[in-house]
Amino acid sequence: MSNKAQIVAALGESLLLLPVLLNEALAANDRAKYRLTLLQTAKSHADSPDTAFSDLRSERLACGVTDASYDAVVAETVRRGPDSYAMPHVRELCSALRDDLLAMIAPFEAAQKPEADLFSQRLQGVSGRPWCGEDNTVTGTDIASLASGNPAHGDSLHLLIMELHKALNGLQAEIATENVDGALTYGLRGDNRAIVAAFMKGVNRTHALKFEHPGLGTTATRIGGKLIIQNDVGTTDAHVLVVHIEKNGVTLTYSDNHLLRLLFFQGMFADWGVVWADVRSLADQAFEGGVYHLCVGSYQARNKGDLKAFLAHLGSRLVFMIDWNRARKRLQLLVPREDALSLLSWSADNDIGHMAFLKAGGERMIFDALQFVAGGTLTYGVTLAELLGREAAVSYLRFIIKTCARGFLDKRPLDLIRDEARVELSGYYHSAQQNLLDLASNHAALAVEIATGIRDGLLTSSRPETFQYFERIGRRAMEWEHKADELVIRARELAKQSEQADAIRQLLEAADDITDELEEAVFHLTLLTPGAMEEEIRLPLVTLARLLVVGTQEYLKAIENARGIHRSGTQDDMHDFLESIHRIIVIEHESDTAERAVRKALLVGPMVDYRQAMVIAESAKKLESAADALMHTGMILRDQILGRIMGS
């Protein structure tokens, strides 16, 4: 069961889960078949290791299993005895296979079908003895028993999967869903459709303000004497609204993994007299942060007209909850927290919303406008409120939020919206400083691009065309490295104007070693010839390249988080910043190990032409040097930020 389905189940609305559970069950059917095939294929390869085999990667991707380590299961399975096989991940496979079967049974339990008990008993029957050993071993007898398709040999997991699949198709047809203005419904009676339509009238009135972002899927059914409407709001697992309607009474059950957003939701009904019970915080490790928050509100409508009006208002508010927390964080980079919350309330009250602001680039668009208007430098970590004053900053951001929403709704070009932001800002602007962190951010982004190109090339280096790819990425890396040098030169020029700019100069001069070393690593990879790199060598080199991608991304994240670290900033930004710096340090240590693994593979692995071995070793060395430079740069950034905060 997905986390989204799990939270709905936690709210006690199992029948509402039927469409979700059916979809999950059919996906689980595909995964179960893949896992069962993987067990059989791995055994067959171990029995005949010299014959050609498939790693089932395509089947894995087709069924949605994301763990790429399964691709090595077939190749690494070996026979240990007459009926014993050492198989990597076999315990995980068995556990996941059992979970897939439970997911396939779940819709029948939710629908209270008698088949649910029968299927559960059958699953218990085929699970009567362990499917695998305690030490990643499995017997051939167990695999044959699980995969048997012959009823004469007794029940099997394979037979159960096939019969479950057939029954799931029947249950789908039986539900016979109906669409009411975009809501997926079933089992409605009387005026239920009109009430659902009232809710959907509100949803559809503001629906366009989410601008293609997923969310707002609505399901409705009747359980006993109650009409029940569910909306999944956004994509966050714990973010769900369930509405019970009985006669003229409405009960709202709303869950969220962000307490501030839950309180904001309650605030949008201040004029409706909704009575809220105490907010509950529930621990659940399945969700972000290990906790989610839940509130229950009740509203008693005066009559049917008032009931429909309330439901329409409720439906119209949900779009303003999507990505609310991200918008709050972005606005808090520009103005103090209370002003950010005020802006979000204003944008909801005026049916404007914040999604267009995010879509247009959020705070990045504002910083770009500041650069354009100022033509100089910004104080390191300065906010829009500090530059313009809080009142002027809020007024300007109201204009931006409204202009973005109207612009996207009218399908106006993004460049035109950004030009309007620049023109409006010129009337507010009172300072002449540039956002220096943009230089560091752009420089870090170039490092991410080069590292990503190296990783992607190594991931496909077994293909002949990969070496042409390295030639292309080599040329692009030279261009990116040249752009990085230009940013350093720009920082040196700005350093003559202010103390803050000199800090960025020091940072970029250190960071330039990252792009230099990465570009050198790419250059050495362009010298490889097709077939020069065996898997035993490629895999540790891929690991090293992946570490550099993660490390450069963390460095970029640290720079972006540094934007929000200032006197009026929140602890979240500082925590995220320090977390990224810590990860960079860890990655540097891991890169040492990965680089040694490459050298070891070159020595003990398949024979490699000494010239190609030198190229591979040099590339690994340059990647490890880039990791060293990355850690050095991260430490400089950390000291600058902590020094500025301590001195403020």
Side-chain angles (χ1 to χ4, degrees):
M1 186 185 299
S2 71
N3 289 344
K4 181 69 80 171
Q6 183 179 338
I7 189 67
V8 178
L11 300 183
E13 311 303 341
S14 59
L15 282 180
L16 282 172
L17 293 175
L18 269 175
V20 175
L21 291 177
L22 275 168
N23 288 339
E24 292 186 358
L26 292 171
N29 171 70
D30 293 337
R31 295 194 302 269
K33 290 177 179 177
Y34 158 74
R35 297 188 216 277
L36 203 55
T37 302
L38 186 58
L39 288 170
Q40 294 173 283
T41 304
K43 175 185 177 298
S44 297
H45 172 63
D47 289 336
S48 305
D50 295 330
T51 59
F53 66 93
S54 169
D55 62 6
L56 301 183
R57 179 177 182 273
S58 298
E59 290 81 351
R60 174 180 65 80
L61 294 174
C63 73
V65 175
T66 58
D67 190 347
S69 63
Y70 283 160
D71 296 345
V73 169
V74 176
E76 296 178 10
T77 297
V78 294
R79 191 168 182 171
R80 293 299 189 198
D83 192 41
S84 178
Y85 298 83
M87 185 181 299
H89 305 297
V90 70
R91 293 188 65 189
E92 298 172 27
L93 274 169
C94 293
S95 176
L97 195 51
R98 196 186 308 271
D99 290 342
D100 291 335
L101 269 293
L102 291 172
M104 294 177 72
I105 295 171
F108 301 99
E109 294 175 336
Q112 300 179 357
K113 294 289 184 180
E115 303 100 295
D117 290 337
L118 176 61
F119 287 139
S120 295
Q121 291 169 8
R122 289 182 60 187
L123 178 59
Q124 185 63 34
V126 297
S127 305
R129 56 194 178 93
W131 294 354
C132 57
E134 294 297 319
D135 54 352
N136 268 349
T137 61
V138 63
T139 68
T141 301
D142 285 339
I143 294 176
S145 176
L146 292 172
S148 172
N150 188 346
H153 296 162
D155 202 3
S156 72
L157 200 67
H158 185 197
L159 292 172
L160 180 56
I161 290 171
M162 290 192 298
E163 292 183 35
L164 272 167
H165 191 192
K166 181 179 179 181
L168 286 169
N169 290 335
L171 184 58
Q172 269 193 315
E174 183 181 329
I175 287 179
T177 57
E178 174 187 4
N179 189 299
V180 176
D181 293 343
L184 185 64
T185 72
Y186 51 95
L188 301 188
R189 284 186 272 166
D191 65 349
N192 291 163
R193 290 175 182 80
I195 294 174
V196 173
F199 176 81
M200 291 307 299
K201 180 180 179 181
V203 171
N204 293 331
R205 181 168 68 81
T206 56
H207 182 274
L209 294 173
K210 74 185 185 79
F211 298 105
E212 292 84 41
H213 190 286
L216 301 186
T218 303
T219 306
T221 189
R222 185 181 179 89
I223 300 178
K226 294 181 181 179
L227 171 64
I228 301 180
I229 301 173
Q230 178 218 324
N231 189 283
D232 64 12
V233 190
T235 57
T236 306
D237 292 328
H239 204 189
V240 172
L241 170 72
V242 176
V243 186
H244 288 209
I245 302 142
E246 189 168 16
K247 296 183 179 178
N248 289 338
V250 181
T251 302
L252 314 176
T253 304
Y254 176 82
S255 64
D256 203 321
N257 56 339
H258 295 295
L259 181 58
L260 273 178
R261 183 165 59 184
L262 181 147
L263 298 175
F264 179 85
F265 174 78
Q266 290 180 331
M268 291 194 292
F269 300 91
D271 296 334
W272 285 86
V274 175
V275 179
W276 298 101
D278 291 339
V279 175
R280 287 184 289 151
S281 298
L282 307 173
D284 194 324
Q285 294 304 314
F287 302 116
E288 180 184 344
V291 67
Y292 67 93
H293 313 281
L294 183 144
C295 66
V296 177
S298 59
Y299 177 74
Q300 185 62 43
R302 297 184 299 274
N303 48 49
K304 288 297 181 186
D306 185 44
L307 172 65
K308 292 178 180 179
F310 175 76
L311 291 174
H313 176 75
L314 170 61
S316 72
R317 300 301 90 189
L318 300 182
V319 72
F320 305 119
M321 309 306 293
I322 298 175
D323 264 2
W324 180 91
N325 204 52
R326 185 160 72 99
R328 176 186 65 83
K329 287 185 175 182
R330 295 295 177 264
L331 288 170
Q332 283 180 206
L333 298 175
L334 303 167
V335 292
R337 172 175 156 177
E338 55 267 33
D339 290 339
L341 295 175
S342 172
L343 282 164
L344 291 168
S345 294
W346 172 85
S347 67
D349 291 343
N350 289 275
D351 285 351
I352 295 171
H354 52 265
M355 289 299 296
F357 170 70
L358 294 175
K359 185 179 174 70
E363 81 285 359
R364 298 289 301 175
M365 179 179 65
I366 307 301
F367 286 136
D368 288 344
L370 281 169
Q371 292 176 25
F372 178 83
V373 172
T377 62
L378 288 176
T379 301
Y380 195 48
V382 72
T383 67
L384 188 68
E386 290 169 334
L387 283 171
L388 307 182
R390 287 180 61 177
E391 185 176 343
V394 169
S395 175
Y396 173 66
L397 287 174
R398 284 186 176 185
F399 168 84
I400 290 298
I401 292 170
K402 183 176 181 179
T403 298
C404 289
R406 296 294 173 252
F408 279 116
L409 287 172
D410 295 340
K411 302 188 183 305
R412 298 166 68 188
L414 179 57
D415 286 344
L416 179 57
I417 296 173
R418 288 174 173 169
D419 284 343
E420 291 179 345
R422 292 171 176 175
V423 171
E424 184 71 11
L425 183 59
S426 64
Y428 287 91
Y429 194 73
H430 303 296
S431 181
Q433 295 179 305
Q434 187 184 28
N435 187 355
L436 294 172
L437 274 178
D438 275 349
L439 294 175
S441 177
N442 292 337
H443 193 281
L446 292 170
V448 173
E449 291 288 349
I450 301 174
T452 302
I454 295 172
R455 179 203 61 190
D456 293 347
L458 288 171
L459 284 172
T460 58
S461 62
S462 58
R463 303 175 188 173
E465 65 270 17
T466 297
F467 298 93
Q468 297 176 358
Y469 172 85
F470 279 138
E471 290 289 345
R472 291 195 301 271
I473 197 65
R475 290 192 295 270
R476 293 176 66 189
M478 289 180 64
E479 295 174 4
W480 289 330
E481 198 271 338
H482 179 66
K483 289 181 179 179
D485 288 341
E486 290 178 343
L487 291 173
V488 176
I489 293 170
R490 175 63 176 154
R492 287 169 180 161
E493 293 173 350
L494 294 174
K496 301 171 184 176
Q497 304 173 18
S498 70
E499 227 174 274
Q500 293 86 355
D502 190 61
I504 292 297
R505 175 194 60 77
Q506 296 175 33
L507 184 69
L508 290 192
E509 285 180 345
D512 211 38
D513 289 338
I514 304 170
T515 52
D516 287 345
E517 297 293 347
L518 288 172
E519 194 275 331
E520 282 287 321
V522 179
F523 166 73
H524 283 92
L525 290 173
T526 64
L527 302 178
L528 286 172
T529 57
M533 201 181 325
E534 298 290 340
E535 280 296 278
E536 293 90 339
I537 299 170
R538 184 182 71 87
L539 292 177
L541 194 57
V542 167
T543 298
L544 183 54
R546 281 174 168 160
L547 288 171
L548 266 297
V549 172
V550 176
T552 52
Q553 289 173 340
E554 290 296 336
Y555 172 53
L556 180 57
K557 284 167 59 178
I559 293 172
E560 291 304 316
N561 281 316
R563 295 180 186 277
I565 300 175
H566 47 79
R567 292 189 301 275
S568 57
T570 67
Q571 289 296 321
D572 291 344
D573 295 311
M574 177 60 82
H575 176 271
D576 292 343
F577 170 81
L578 293 176
E579 187 71 20
S580 289
I581 298 298
H582 171 72
R583 288 173 186 156
I584 290 171
I585 296 171
V586 171
I587 284 167
E588 192 280 331
H589 296 323
E590 292 177 351
S591 69
D592 288 340
T593 303
E595 193 263 342
R596 291 172 184 171
V598 175
R599 281 190 280 161
K600 181 178 179 181
L602 286 170
L603 289 173
V604 304
M607 186 65 68
V608 180
D609 176 85
Y610 78 94
R611 291 170 295 188
Q612 296 296 296
M614 184 198 74
V615 167
I616 294 169
E618 281 298 311
S619 180
K621 181 180 178 181
K622 290 300 179 182
L623 288 173
E624 197 277 330
S625 296
D628 290 343
L630 187 61
M631 183 182 72
H632 177 61
T633 306
M635 298 302 288
I636 291 175
L637 179 61
R638 184 200 66 174
D639 292 345
Q640 288 181 351
I641 295 299
L642 294 181
R644 178 168 59 82
I645 294 299
M646 294 293 290
S648 63

